[in-house]
Amino acid sequence: MKRRNLLGLLSVIPFAGPALSSTAEPPAEEWSSDVCVIGAGLAGLTAAIAAKTSGSVNACVLEKESLLEGHSTISTGYFSAVRHMPGHDAEYRAAVDSMIADMEKTGKGLGNPELIRILVEHSGAAYDWMTSLGVTWLPDPYEALGGLVPRSYLTSFVNGGYDYIFAVNRRLRELRIPLYFGAEVTRVTPTDSGFLVSGSRLKKKFLVHAKTVILATGGYTGNVALRSKYDPRLTSEITSTANPYGDGLDTATGDGIIFGESLGAELLDMDKILTIPFSGGRLTNYVGADVYLDESGHRFVNEQAPMETISQTVWKLPHHRFWVVTDAASAKGASRSVKLLRGIVKTADSLEEVALGMRVDPKEFLQTMDRYNSYARAHQDPEFGRTLFTQEIKKPPFYYGLERPFVHFCNGGLKIDTHARVIKTDGTPIPGLYAAGEVTGGIHGAGRLGGCSLPDCVVFGRIAGESAAKAL
């Protein structure tokens, strides 16, 4: 049995309610909850745990899919954090300021400064909280794709976000918080005492009378109509990193954004949708071990640049695609086997063979690689300004493949405040409604700093859960 299937089965808790009647239209199951969390990703599970442990509240989680298979589960797992080590106050403050500056740089100044500071200053506590749940980390931080400096922690190059979801799911079961799979919410309606959350599960309707609701349904990378409304380039031909080959499922369909907007929530930065070259020919998921080449075999960008910068440069290439080359010395991600089996990535015993496979001029290609390796040895790139090189590319076998843009992350979504309350278009909070994770907007601005998605889920998931419990 696959681990992901086991993870889902271990979490199933049956609905409590009246028995099925023999009529054609059975009565809807109804129950009450102090805190109803919609979405069982890292943000949603974190929020439910935080609500439960912040007070004696009755919480539940609704997940429309049959397994825990959201974006957090399949992520590469890079977790940016500024840790406050005893006796190193000055270094901590400098690291906080540096990360804030980098978030403002990648977000082009559009992110909410208050929310950015909260994310950064609470990132170390989020790291510690995940550690307390049993997460074990590799000893040294890495520079995530678009992360600008090495500040992202990782459990392994293979398990990625699965380790985080496993840890929070285990804690959820320890606290006996109900998690209902296959529970597709169709409407969130305000009532005098909170909200009525309605939907269906196993062809049967359910109604949750909730005092507070936390929206944690993720972004809208899987909703082609919604994303292409804000960015016409993102048609169905541009697949997402959650479903790169078009034969799977991207569960992020913007449900929470739709619910929030129907309740009067303000939407921010909906056109700021991040596309990254990651699910094609690239095998590494950190900066420093590969080189990007256009279709003629020449470098065209600083591989260390922010994700949004690389993305926009790729869109300007004639066919929106480029080659990625690495070698045996680099650490490969979990997608290595799949990409090799599908022929997306090919191997070669020499750089000359790589040039033949790429159908580029061998002489010019070898000159390009010679220059690149000389920059790697010197840790200085006079052509594009790259500063991080973890290795030269010279150890066979070599790996090469074509990359293209994939829809990866939605910077836009529901406007929230520092308490994770959802804000209406008139600037006031919607009473009892909270949000966390990729369903929110206004934190990352025009572009997300690499490694900041997962700490965003944990930091604001905890804030949303604690705020909801406090409101009760």
Side-chain angles (χ1 to χ4, degrees):
M1 179 179 290
K2 292 183 178 179
R3 290 188 304 173
R4 190 176 296 173
N5 291 348
L6 178 61
L7 186 59
L9 290 173
L10 286 173
S11 306
V12 173
I13 299 178
F15 268 30
L20 290 173
S21 82
S22 59
T23 63
E25 181 67 28
E29 296 186 68
E30 295 189 50
W31 73 97
S32 298
S33 181
D34 293 328
V35 180
C36 179
V37 180
I38 306 176
L42 184 58
L45 299 182
T46 296
I49 294 169
K52 182 73 172 181
T53 55
S54 296
S56 299
V57 301
N58 172 23
C60 71
V61 182
L62 305 178
E63 171 54 48
K64 68 179 180 179
E65 300 301 326
S66 58
L67 299 170
L68 295 176
E69 54 184 353
H71 283 197
S72 301
T73 311
I74 60 176
S75 72
T76 55
Y78 286 85
F79 196 103
S80 289
V82 179
R83 302 175 62 196
H84 194 170
M85 309 304 289
H88 294 271
D89 293 352
E91 292 90 335
Y92 170 73
R93 293 306 331 164
V96 165
D97 292 342
S98 174
M99 185 170 171
I100 289 174
D102 286 347
M103 288 190 68
E104 291 175 342
K105 177 181 179 181
T106 56
K108 298 181 179 178
L110 294 181
N112 183 318
E114 286 186 296
L115 299 182
I116 290 174
R117 180 166 290 278
I118 287 173
L119 173 55
V120 174
E121 290 185 341
H122 287 70
S123 62
Y127 172 100
D128 293 338
W129 185 73
M130 294 299 297
T131 303
S132 74
L133 299 185
V135 170
T136 57
W137 310 88
L138 295 178
D140 300 313
Y142 286 81
E143 182 172 327
L145 177 65
L148 303 187
V149 300
R151 61 164 67 93
S152 292
Y153 295 87
L154 194 66
T155 60
S156 79
F157 289 103
V158 178
N159 290 349
Y162 171 89
D163 289 336
Y164 310 138
I165 291 294
F166 185 90
V168 292
N169 179 52
R170 180 173 54 199
R171 181 58 176 152
L172 192 86
R173 289 185 285 112
E174 291 172 351
L175 294 171
R176 302 189 65 79
I177 300 173
L179 167 55
Y180 302 113
F181 286 101
E184 184 171 4
V185 176
T186 55
R187 191 172 182 181
V188 179
T189 308
T191 66
D192 291 340
S193 57
F195 298 92
L196 182 64
V197 180
S198 54
S200 62
R201 178 178 185 265
L202 302 176
K203 299 183 179 180
K204 184 174 181 179
K205 295 180 180 179
F206 66 83
L207 299 171
V208 183
H209 300 271
K211 295 179 181 178
T212 62
V213 168
I214 299 176
L215 300 174
T217 57
Y220 45 99
T221 57
N223 188 329
V224 176
L226 186 58
R227 74 190 196 199
S228 60
K229 171 184 175 181
Y230 292 99
D231 189 340
R233 299 176 303 177
L234 306 183
T235 61
S236 58
E237 287 74 25
I238 307 299
T239 55
S240 72
T241 52
N243 181 23
Y245 314 121
D247 52 8
L249 177 67
D250 186 345
T251 61
T253 52
D255 302 350
I257 292 172
I258 295 169
F259 298 147
E261 188 177 26
S262 72
L263 295 171
E266 182 176 350
L267 304 185
L268 296 177
D269 302 330
M270 290 293 287
D271 61 333
K272 305 301 187 292
I273 304 170
L274 178 63
T275 60
I276 65 169
F278 182 74
S279 297
R282 194 168 193 263
L283 290 180
T284 65
N285 48 32
Y286 60 95
V287 174
D290 49 20
V291 60
Y292 300 170
L293 307 166
D294 63 22
E295 291 185 274
S296 64
H298 300 96
R299 289 181 70 207
F300 65 96
V301 72
N302 177 357
E303 297 88 350
Q304 193 183 1
M307 288 188 286
E308 179 65 15
T309 300
I310 294 175
S311 174
Q312 294 306 320
T313 305
V314 171
W315 278 107
K316 294 175 183 177
L317 294 176
H319 300 103
H320 315 313
R321 62 187 187 185
F322 63 98
W323 293 102
V324 180
V325 180
T326 188
D327 69 359
S330 60
K332 315 301 187 296
S335 63
R336 169 182 176 169
S337 298
V338 172
K339 291 181 178 182
L340 289 172
L341 286 171
R342 286 178 177 260
I344 297 168
V345 174
K346 301 182 183 299
T347 61
D349 292 326
S350 67
L351 288 174
E352 290 84 355
E353 189 179 337
V354 172
L356 292 174
M358 291 168 49
R359 297 182 179 180
V360 298
D361 183 283
K363 182 179 179 180
E364 291 189 13
F365 173 73
L366 291 176
Q367 290 174 346
T368 296
M369 294 305 298
D370 283 343
R371 285 196 301 273
Y372 175 86
N373 284 333
S374 70
Y375 302 158
R377 290 191 296 272
H379 290 276
Q380 184 175 1
D381 174 10
E383 286 188 81
F384 295 96
R386 175 170 161 179
T387 59
L388 180 60
F389 296 86
T390 59
Q391 62 176 79
E392 297 178 54
I393 300 177
K394 62 181 183 180
K395 182 179 180 181
F398 298 93
Y399 299 82
Y400 66 99
L402 280 172
E403 266 292 3
R404 63 174 177 83
F406 294 84
V407 183
H408 182 62
F409 186 85
C410 299
N411 293 306
L414 303 172
K415 182 178 181 179
I416 61 171
D417 65 7
T418 56
H419 302 287
R421 298 179 296 185
V422 177
I423 305 301
K424 293 194 292 186
T425 53
D426 64 5
T428 62
I430 300 175
L433 188 64
Y434 304 85
E438 198 175 344
V439 73
T440 66
I443 299 176
H444 303 287
R448 175 174 61 78
L449 182 67
C452 285
S453 174
L454 295 173
D456 178 357
C457 291
V458 176
V459 168
F460 286 99
R462 296 180 74 191
I463 291 174
E466 292 166 0
S467 296
K470 184 178 180 180
L472 296 170

